[in-house]
Structure formats: structure tokens, C-alpha cells
Amino acid sequence: MKRIKISLLGRIAIAIILALLLGYAMPAWVGLTIPSFIIRCFLTFNAIFAQFLGFVIPLVILALVAEAIGSIGMKAGRMLLITVAIAYGSTVFSGYLAFLTGSAVFPRLITPEPSAQMEGASAMLSPYFTIDMPPVMGVTTALILAFILGLGVARGRAETLRGLIVDVKNIITDIIEYVIIPLLPLYIFGVFLGMTADTRVLDTLVSFAKVIGVIFILHVFLLVLQYVLAGVIAGKNPFRSLGRMLPAYFTALGTASSAATIPVTLAQAQKNGVSEEVASFVIPLCATIHLSGSMLKIVSCALALMVMTGLGYDVSLFTEFILMLGITMVAAPGVPGGAIMAALPILKGTLGFDDPQLALMISLYIAMDSFGTACNVTGDGAIAMVVDRLSGRKK
């Protein structure tokens, strides 16, 4: 009998639905021995898993960012600097676009709820135990160390270190793929089981449906803006150029992978008149460092959740969040859910999110993962047009 394979999004959807169904009955269960035992088992698992995530994330950032920088190398000099500057600028701009739009729109769409209301009856119960797993270093330390090691490897002065970084990156990738990702649905089930004891969680989900609509509109606006600017610089029709990139967009929509879409993105960029030399350099590089769609999603969802739970925010706070996130997400490509994993410590440390809020962020991100990836790779084509023009190369 053929085994039925359920995608990560499907497993998370099943976990949330089951948690909603069971959670609404939970107030009647609390105080009963067996149901309370089951609930506390899930709370215990969640407490341990949250500690494990906190331990692993700095290692994820160190290994993946160092490997990514080392693999870029010091080649192509001026073209490398131009591409990195444009990609990072585009990613940061999309973060501010999401913040400014969300600040104006979300308070009108979302009714603020005190954060304590999201915890529900789970507060009546507690984990049986937890295991303290302090990370070996902070996120900022991991990021700085990743840059130092990555640049050292890129200069070709540490071949032994290059092999070590690649080996560590492979180990961390396996941990994400075979441990964290498979256990995420169970973790999210436990969090939603506690949250749904308060019936107002349904209002939370409805509010986020509105937020997703706003994100999609921003998603389209961002792509049009990217190609209008690229068209002006490169002297090409922006809408025709964007239309030629649609095969890459829909390929990414289906695969949810920037890396898997590189061949299609590369071919379509060349159809837009980008020279083969420039396209072969820019497209694979941007698949790693250009994450405007992912930034748009994470900032929008984080801001919406802060509005909903009554957490205070301002431009200064989100400037710190956006600038750090634009760098740490370099660790994201090639890893399922990598962008949101890289964002977790910043969401917690900078914005003050707790475990239920982090679980909700993971759920929302996975639900829209392919749309963010599609936005990322389609924008790569616009960057290739600009770099091709600025580098003075013609097809």
C-alpha cells in the first residue's frame, strides 16, 4: 500500500484543526484526571521543545550564514557589492513598506486583545517539568562570528575551516529537517490546544485572515514597484519584463524553494535581456540574499500580532528588528521554514514575543511560505536587470 505523504502545511493545518476542536472542550476537562494528564504532557513537551529551539537557533545562524558568505567568495568584486547592496536594500525596504502600511491599516482591521487572553485555560495547568537549555551564545554573537568566519573562508585562507563549516551546516540542516520540522506540528498543536480554551482565539484567526489579504496586496505592489524601477534603470518595459518572470513566480509557488526555482529564474532573466554572465552570477546569489517577500510576511504578521495583543511598538523598535532580520535571514534559503526559524530569536528578544505568539508566527509563515518565496525569486529578475545595466554589460 502506497504511503500517503502530507506536506508540512497540511500537517500544521491538521494540528491546528484538532487543537481547535479539542481545545473548546478543554474547560470541561480541566480537573478531570486523564484529560489534565494529557494536557500537561503536551505542555511539558512544548516547554522542552521551546528550550531546544532557543538552543539551536544561534547555531543555525552561525553555521548557515557563515557557509553562505564563504560560498559567495571574493569573486566578481564590484558586481558582488552592487548585487548585495541592492538585494539588502530591497529586503529592508519591503520591511518598512510592511511596517508603515500595517501601522496605518491594522489598527482599523484588528480589535486589540490583552496578551493574557490568548493563554486561556492552559494557565490553570503547568508542565510536569522542563529542561533548561541555555544557548552557547547569543544571536548577535552568532551573527558576528558567522561574518568573521565566512569572510575568512571567502578569502581562501582557511580551507580546513571551510570543510568544518560545511560539515556543521550539514548537521544543522539535518537537525532542522529531521527533528525540528517534523516536531513543529506537535508543538503547534500543544500551543493551540491551550490557546483555544479561550473562545476568542477564533476572532484571532479571523483577524489574521484580513491581515493575509493586506499582505497579498502589498506582495503585488512590491513586485510592480521593483519592475517599474528596474525598467526605468534598464530602459525596458516593466510590465513585459514582469510578465516574462511569471513562469519563475509560479514555479516558486509550487516548490516553495528559491534554490529549486533557480533554473527557471535564470532562463526568464535572460529572456528579459540580461546577459548570461550577469544572470548566472546574480540569480543564484539573490536566491540566497534577496528575501523581500519573506521580510514582508514576517514584519506584517509580527506587527498585526502586536496590535492584537496590545504590545507597544514604534519606528525605532521595528528599525532594529528589520535591519537585523534582513541579515539573519541569509540563513534561510534551502532550509524548510528557514526564514521564520532565523527570525524567532529576534521576535523574542527584540519584540518581546512569548511562546504562543512564536507558534502563531510559525503557523502563519508556513501557511504563506510559497507566496513569499515566489515574491523573492521574481524580484531577483528585477535585480538582475539593474545589475546588468550598472555593470555596463549588454547581451
PDB file of all heavy atoms in Angstrom, residues 99-127:
ATOM      1  N   PHE A  99       5.744  47.691   7.555  1.00  0.00           N
ATOM      2  CA  PHE A  99       5.522  48.370   8.831  1.00  0.00           C
ATOM      3  C   PHE A  99       4.644  49.610   8.670  1.00  0.00           C
ATOM      4  O   PHE A  99       3.680  49.814   9.426  1.00  0.00           O
ATOM      5  CB  PHE A  99       6.851  48.758   9.468  1.00  0.00           C
ATOM      6  CG  PHE A  99       6.711  49.634  10.685  1.00  0.00           C
ATOM      7  CD1 PHE A  99       6.260  49.106  11.881  1.00  0.00           C
ATOM      8  CD2 PHE A  99       7.001  50.984  10.624  1.00  0.00           C
ATOM      9  CE1 PHE A  99       6.100  49.907  13.002  1.00  0.00           C
ATOM     10  CE2 PHE A  99       6.857  51.799  11.737  1.00  0.00           C
ATOM     11  CZ  PHE A  99       6.398  51.260  12.928  1.00  0.00           C
ATOM     12  N   LEU A 100       4.972  50.452   7.703  1.00  0.00           N
ATOM     13  CA  LEU A 100       4.219  51.699   7.523  1.00  0.00           C
ATOM     14  C   LEU A 100       2.782  51.421   7.092  1.00  0.00           C
ATOM     15  O   LEU A 100       1.846  52.065   7.583  1.00  0.00           O
ATOM     16  CB  LEU A 100       4.927  52.587   6.494  1.00  0.00           C
ATOM     17  CG  LEU A 100       6.319  53.094   6.905  1.00  0.00           C
ATOM     18  CD1 LEU A 100       6.982  53.851   5.763  1.00  0.00           C
ATOM     19  CD2 LEU A 100       6.218  53.983   8.147  1.00  0.00           C
ATOM     20  N   THR A 101       2.603  50.459   6.195  1.00  0.00           N
ATOM     21  CA  THR A 101       1.241  50.108   5.768  1.00  0.00           C
ATOM     22  C   THR A 101       0.455  49.490   6.917  1.00  0.00           C
ATOM     23  O   THR A 101      -0.695  49.842   7.162  1.00  0.00           O
ATOM     24  CB  THR A 101       1.287  49.130   4.581  1.00  0.00           C
ATOM     25  OG1 THR A 101       2.047  49.701   3.521  1.00  0.00           O
ATOM     26  CG2 THR A 101      -0.117  48.824   4.089  1.00  0.00           C
ATOM     27  N   GLY A 102       1.103  48.553   7.615  1.00  0.00           N
ATOM     28  CA  GLY A 102       0.430  47.899   8.734  1.00  0.00           C
ATOM     29  C   GLY A 102       0.070  48.861   9.844  1.00  0.00           C
ATOM     30  O   GLY A 102      -1.004  48.749  10.447  1.00  0.00           O
ATOM     31  N   SER A 103       0.945  49.819  10.137  1.00  0.00           N
ATOM     32  CA  SER A 103       0.663  50.808  11.182  1.00  0.00           C
ATOM     33  C   SER A 103      -0.574  51.629  10.850  1.00  0.00           C
ATOM     34  O   SER A 103      -1.317  52.035  11.754  1.00  0.00           O
ATOM     35  CB  SER A 103       1.861  51.739  11.369  1.00  0.00           C
ATOM     36  OG  SER A 103       2.998  51.029  11.795  1.00  0.00           O
ATOM     37  N   ALA A 104      -0.795  51.875   9.554  1.00  0.00           N
ATOM     38  CA  ALA A 104      -1.951  52.676   9.143  1.00  0.00           C
ATOM     39  C   ALA A 104      -3.226  51.843   9.028  1.00  0.00           C
ATOM     40  O   ALA A 104      -4.322  52.342   9.283  1.00  0.00           O
ATOM     41  CB  ALA A 104      -1.656  53.351   7.796  1.00  0.00           C
ATOM     42  N   VAL A 105      -3.073  50.560   8.658  1.00  0.00           N
ATOM     43  CA  VAL A 105      -4.248  49.738   8.314  1.00  0.00           C
ATOM     44  C   VAL A 105      -4.671  48.791   9.435  1.00  0.00           C
ATOM     45  O   VAL A 105      -5.864  48.656   9.734  1.00  0.00           O
ATOM     46  CB  VAL A 105      -3.974  48.941   7.022  1.00  0.00           C
ATOM     47  CG1 VAL A 105      -5.117  47.973   6.724  1.00  0.00           C
ATOM     48  CG2 VAL A 105      -3.755  49.889   5.847  1.00  0.00           C
ATOM     49  N   PHE A 106      -3.708  48.121  10.069  1.00  0.00           N
ATOM     50  CA  PHE A 106      -4.055  47.064  11.015  1.00  0.00           C
ATOM     51  C   PHE A 106      -4.895  47.522  12.212  1.00  0.00           C
ATOM     52  O   PHE A 106      -5.802  46.791  12.636  1.00  0.00           O
ATOM     53  CB  PHE A 106      -2.788  46.357  11.505  1.00  0.00           C
ATOM     54  CG  PHE A 106      -2.095  45.550  10.436  1.00  0.00           C
ATOM     55  CD1 PHE A 106      -0.779  45.148  10.585  1.00  0.00           C
ATOM     56  CD2 PHE A 106      -2.761  45.186   9.273  1.00  0.00           C
ATOM     57  CE1 PHE A 106      -0.138  44.420   9.603  1.00  0.00           C
ATOM     58  CE2 PHE A 106      -2.133  44.452   8.279  1.00  0.00           C
ATOM     59  CZ  PHE A 106      -0.819  44.073   8.449  1.00  0.00           C
ATOM     60  N   PRO A 107      -4.638  48.699  12.799  1.00  0.00           N
ATOM     61  CA  PRO A 107      -5.495  49.116  13.922  1.00  0.00           C
ATOM     62  C   PRO A 107      -6.975  49.247  13.545  1.00  0.00           C
ATOM     63  O   PRO A 107      -7.838  49.149  14.413  1.00  0.00           O
ATOM     64  CB  PRO A 107      -4.902  50.477  14.317  1.00  0.00           C
ATOM     65  CG  PRO A 107      -3.471  50.398  13.904  1.00  0.00           C
ATOM     66  CD  PRO A 107      -3.497  49.620  12.619  1.00  0.00           C
ATOM     67  N   ARG A 108      -7.259  49.445  12.253  1.00  0.00           N
ATOM     68  CA  ARG A 108      -8.651  49.537  11.813  1.00  0.00           C
ATOM     69  C   ARG A 108      -9.262  48.164  11.543  1.00  0.00           C
ATOM     70  O   ARG A 108     -10.486  48.011  11.540  1.00  0.00           O
ATOM     71  CB  ARG A 108      -8.734  50.372  10.532  1.00  0.00           C
ATOM     72  CG  ARG A 108      -8.162  51.788  10.682  1.00  0.00           C
ATOM     73  CD  ARG A 108      -8.210  52.537   9.369  1.00  0.00           C
ATOM     74  NE  ARG A 108      -7.572  53.851   9.479  1.00  0.00           N
ATOM     75  CZ  ARG A 108      -7.454  54.714   8.472  1.00  0.00           C
ATOM     76  NH1 ARG A 108      -7.929  54.384   7.276  1.00  0.00           N
ATOM     77  NH2 ARG A 108      -6.870  55.883   8.673  1.00  0.00           N
ATOM     78  N   LEU A 109      -8.404  47.168  11.304  1.00  0.00           N
ATOM     79  CA  LEU A 109      -8.900  45.824  10.991  1.00  0.00           C
ATOM     80  C   LEU A 109      -8.950  44.915  12.211  1.00  0.00           C
ATOM     81  O   LEU A 109      -9.719  43.955  12.243  1.00  0.00           O
ATOM     82  CB  LEU A 109      -8.001  45.166   9.931  1.00  0.00           C
ATOM     83  CG  LEU A 109      -7.932  45.816   8.547  1.00  0.00           C
ATOM     84  CD1 LEU A 109      -6.970  45.034   7.663  1.00  0.00           C
ATOM     85  CD2 LEU A 109      -9.311  45.873   7.908  1.00  0.00           C
ATOM     86  N   ILE A 110      -8.104  45.222  13.203  1.00  0.00           N
ATOM     87  CA  ILE A 110      -7.919  44.306  14.322  1.00  0.00           C
ATOM     88  C   ILE A 110      -8.375  44.948  15.621  1.00  0.00           C
ATOM     89  O   ILE A 110      -8.048  46.101  15.907  1.00  0.00           O
ATOM     90  CB  ILE A 110      -6.431  43.911  14.453  1.00  0.00           C
ATOM     91  CG1 ILE A 110      -5.958  43.220  13.162  1.00  0.00           C
ATOM     92  CG2 ILE A 110      -6.204  43.005  15.651  1.00  0.00           C
ATOM     93  CD1 ILE A 110      -4.467  42.996  13.125  1.00  0.00           C
ATOM     94  N   THR A 111      -9.118  44.182  16.405  1.00  0.00           N
ATOM     95  CA  THR A 111      -9.522  44.637  17.734  1.00  0.00           C
ATOM     96  C   THR A 111      -8.473  44.188  18.744  1.00  0.00           C
ATOM     97  O   THR A 111      -8.226  42.984  18.892  1.00  0.00           O
ATOM     98  CB  THR A 111     -10.883  44.037  18.128  1.00  0.00           C
ATOM     99  OG1 THR A 111     -11.856  44.413  17.150  1.00  0.00           O
ATOM    100  CG2 THR A 111     -11.309  44.525  19.504  1.00  0.00           C
ATOM    101  N   PRO A 112      -7.815  45.131  19.419  1.00  0.00           N
ATOM    102  CA  PRO A 112      -6.767  44.739  20.375  1.00  0.00           C
ATOM    103  C   PRO A 112      -7.310  43.845  21.474  1.00  0.00           C
ATOM    104  O   PRO A 112      -8.407  44.057  21.989  1.00  0.00           O
ATOM    105  CB  PRO A 112      -6.286  46.083  20.936  1.00  0.00           C
ATOM    106  CG  PRO A 112      -6.670  47.087  19.902  1.00  0.00           C
ATOM    107  CD  PRO A 112      -7.961  46.583  19.320  1.00  0.00           C
ATOM    108  N   GLU A 113      -6.520  42.824  21.821  1.00  0.00           N
ATOM    109  CA  GLU A 113      -6.857  41.921  22.918  1.00  0.00           C
ATOM    110  C   GLU A 113      -5.656  41.847  23.848  1.00  0.00           C
ATOM    111  O   GLU A 113      -4.526  41.705  23.373  1.00  0.00           O
ATOM    112  CB  GLU A 113      -7.153  40.506  22.378  1.00  0.00           C
ATOM    113  CG  GLU A 113      -8.349  40.432  21.439  1.00  0.00           C
ATOM    114  CD  GLU A 113      -9.659  40.386  22.181  1.00  0.00           C
ATOM    115  OE1 GLU A 113      -9.617  40.277  23.427  1.00  0.00           O
ATOM    116  OE2 GLU A 113     -10.706  40.459  21.532  1.00  0.00           O
ATOM    117  N   PRO A 114      -5.860  41.926  25.150  1.00  0.00           N
ATOM    118  CA  PRO A 114      -4.725  41.754  26.063  1.00  0.00           C
ATOM    119  C   PRO A 114      -4.055  40.420  25.822  1.00  0.00           C
ATOM    120  O   PRO A 114      -4.723  39.417  25.596  1.00  0.00           O
ATOM    121  CB  PRO A 114      -5.368  41.815  27.459  1.00  0.00           C
ATOM    122  CG  PRO A 114      -6.641  42.585  27.243  1.00  0.00           C
ATOM    123  CD  PRO A 114      -7.121  42.213  25.861  1.00  0.00           C
ATOM    124  N   SER A 115      -2.719  40.394  25.860  1.00  0.00           N
ATOM    125  CA  SER A 115      -1.990  39.172  25.535  1.00  0.00           C
ATOM    126  C   SER A 115      -2.358  38.017  26.444  1.00  0.00           C
ATOM    127  O   SER A 115      -2.310  36.864  26.042  1.00  0.00           O
ATOM    128  CB  SER A 115      -0.475  39.428  25.629  1.00  0.00           C
ATOM    129  OG  SER A 115      -0.134  39.890  26.927  1.00  0.00           O
ATOM    130  N   ALA A 116      -2.748  38.310  27.677  1.00  0.00           N
ATOM    131  CA  ALA A 116      -3.085  37.228  28.602  1.00  0.00           C
ATOM    132  C   ALA A 116      -4.296  36.447  28.127  1.00  0.00           C
ATOM    133  O   ALA A 116      -4.467  35.279  28.459  1.00  0.00           O
ATOM    134  CB  ALA A 116      -3.353  37.794  29.994  1.00  0.00           C
ATOM    135  N   GLN A 117      -5.158  37.091  27.325  1.00  0.00           N
ATOM    136  CA  GLN A 117      -6.366  36.412  26.889  1.00  0.00           C
ATOM    137  C   GLN A 117      -6.060  35.276  25.933  1.00  0.00           C
ATOM    138  O   GLN A 117      -6.891  34.399  25.734  1.00  0.00           O
ATOM    139  CB  GLN A 117      -7.303  37.424  26.207  1.00  0.00           C
ATOM    140  CG  GLN A 117      -7.884  38.441  27.166  1.00  0.00           C
ATOM    141  CD  GLN A 117      -8.764  39.449  26.468  1.00  0.00           C
ATOM    142  OE1 GLN A 117      -8.815  39.534  25.251  1.00  0.00           O
ATOM    143  NE2 GLN A 117      -9.480  40.230  27.249  1.00  0.00           N
ATOM    144  N   MET A 118      -4.876  35.286  25.310  1.00  0.00           N
ATOM    145  CA  MET A 118      -4.539  34.239  24.369  1.00  0.00           C
ATOM    146  C   MET A 118      -4.064  32.972  25.061  1.00  0.00           C
ATOM    147  O   MET A 118      -3.935  31.935  24.458  1.00  0.00           O
ATOM    148  CB  MET A 118      -3.468  34.721  23.391  1.00  0.00           C
ATOM    149  CG  MET A 118      -3.911  35.876  22.540  1.00  0.00           C
ATOM    150  SD  MET A 118      -2.659  36.334  21.341  1.00  0.00           S
ATOM    151  CE  MET A 118      -2.638  34.858  20.312  1.00  0.00           C
ATOM    152  N   GLU A 119      -3.797  33.055  26.344  1.00  0.00           N
ATOM    153  CA  GLU A 119      -3.263  31.907  27.043  1.00  0.00           C
ATOM    154  C   GLU A 119      -4.356  30.966  27.518  1.00  0.00           C
ATOM    155  O   GLU A 119      -4.141  29.785  27.713  1.00  0.00           O
ATOM    156  CB  GLU A 119      -2.407  32.358  28.224  1.00  0.00           C
ATOM    157  CG  GLU A 119      -1.199  33.171  27.776  1.00  0.00           C
ATOM    158  CD  GLU A 119      -0.377  33.658  28.928  1.00  0.00           C
ATOM    159  OE1 GLU A 119      -0.695  33.244  30.074  1.00  0.00           O
ATOM    160  OE2 GLU A 119       0.541  34.443  28.729  1.00  0.00           O
ATOM    161  N   GLY A 120      -5.550  31.477  27.732  1.00  0.00           N
ATOM    162  CA  GLY A 120      -6.688  30.646  28.061  1.00  0.00           C
ATOM    163  C   GLY A 120      -6.508  29.827  29.317  1.00  0.00           C
ATOM    164  O   GLY A 120      -5.773  30.157  30.228  1.00  0.00           O
ATOM    165  N   ALA A 121      -7.158  28.670  29.283  1.00  0.00           N
ATOM    166  CA  ALA A 121      -7.171  27.832  30.482  1.00  0.00           C
ATOM    167  C   ALA A 121      -5.874  27.087  30.694  1.00  0.00           C
ATOM    168  O   ALA A 121      -5.701  26.428  31.705  1.00  0.00           O
ATOM    169  CB  ALA A 121      -8.322  26.823  30.376  1.00  0.00           C
ATOM    170  N   SER A 122      -4.950  27.172  29.687  1.00  0.00           N
ATOM    171  CA  SER A 122      -3.680  26.492  29.886  1.00  0.00           C
ATOM    172  C   SER A 122      -2.950  27.032  31.100  1.00  0.00           C
ATOM    173  O   SER A 122      -2.092  26.360  31.670  1.00  0.00           O
ATOM    174  CB  SER A 122      -2.796  26.633  28.648  1.00  0.00           C
ATOM    175  OG  SER A 122      -2.494  27.981  28.403  1.00  0.00           O
ATOM    176  N   ALA A 123      -3.282  28.279  31.491  1.00  0.00           N
ATOM    177  CA  ALA A 123      -2.639  28.865  32.668  1.00  0.00           C
ATOM    178  C   ALA A 123      -3.022  28.111  33.933  1.00  0.00           C
ATOM    179  O   ALA A 123      -2.345  28.195  34.938  1.00  0.00           O
ATOM    180  CB  ALA A 123      -3.017  30.335  32.790  1.00  0.00           C
ATOM    181  N   MET A 124      -4.160  27.365  33.878  1.00  0.00           N
ATOM    182  CA  MET A 124      -4.581  26.604  35.042  1.00  0.00           C
ATOM    183  C   MET A 124      -3.681  25.393  35.257  1.00  0.00           C
ATOM    184  O   MET A 124      -3.620  24.840  36.331  1.00  0.00           O
ATOM    185  CB  MET A 124      -6.023  26.119  34.857  1.00  0.00           C
ATOM    186  CG  MET A 124      -7.044  27.226  34.637  1.00  0.00           C
ATOM    187  SD  MET A 124      -8.685  26.521  34.360  1.00  0.00           S
ATOM    188  CE  MET A 124      -9.594  27.992  33.889  1.00  0.00           C
ATOM    189  N   LEU A 125      -2.999  24.956  34.172  1.00  0.00           N
ATOM    190  CA  LEU A 125      -2.145  23.793  34.239  1.00  0.00           C
ATOM    191  C   LEU A 125      -0.720  24.208  33.933  1.00  0.00           C
ATOM    192  O   LEU A 125      -0.483  25.243  33.335  1.00  0.00           O
ATOM    193  CB  LEU A 125      -2.619  22.731  33.233  1.00  0.00           C
ATOM    194  CG  LEU A 125      -4.058  22.222  33.433  1.00  0.00           C
ATOM    195  CD1 LEU A 125      -4.469  21.336  32.281  1.00  0.00           C
ATOM    196  CD2 LEU A 125      -4.184  21.471  34.749  1.00  0.00           C
ATOM    197  N   SER A 126       0.220  23.392  34.314  1.00  0.00           N
ATOM    198  CA  SER A 126       1.623  23.707  34.080  1.00  0.00           C
ATOM    199  C   SER A 126       2.347  22.435  33.652  1.00  0.00           C
ATOM    200  O   SER A 126       1.872  21.323  33.875  1.00  0.00           O
ATOM    201  CB  SER A 126       2.247  24.273  35.366  1.00  0.00           C
ATOM    202  OG  SER A 126       2.165  23.322  36.408  1.00  0.00           O
ATOM    203  N   PRO A 127       3.521  22.585  33.012  1.00  0.00           N
ATOM    204  CA  PRO A 127       4.294  21.398  32.630  1.00  0.00           C
ATOM    205  C   PRO A 127       4.703  20.594  33.862  1.00  0.00           C
ATOM    206  O   PRO A 127       4.877  21.142  34.948  1.00  0.00           O
ATOM    207  CB  PRO A 127       5.518  21.990  31.924  1.00  0.00           C
ATOM    208  CG  PRO A 127       5.135  23.382  31.562  1.00  0.00           C
ATOM    209  CD  PRO A 127       4.153  23.840  32.596  1.00  0.00           C
TER     210      PRO A 127
END
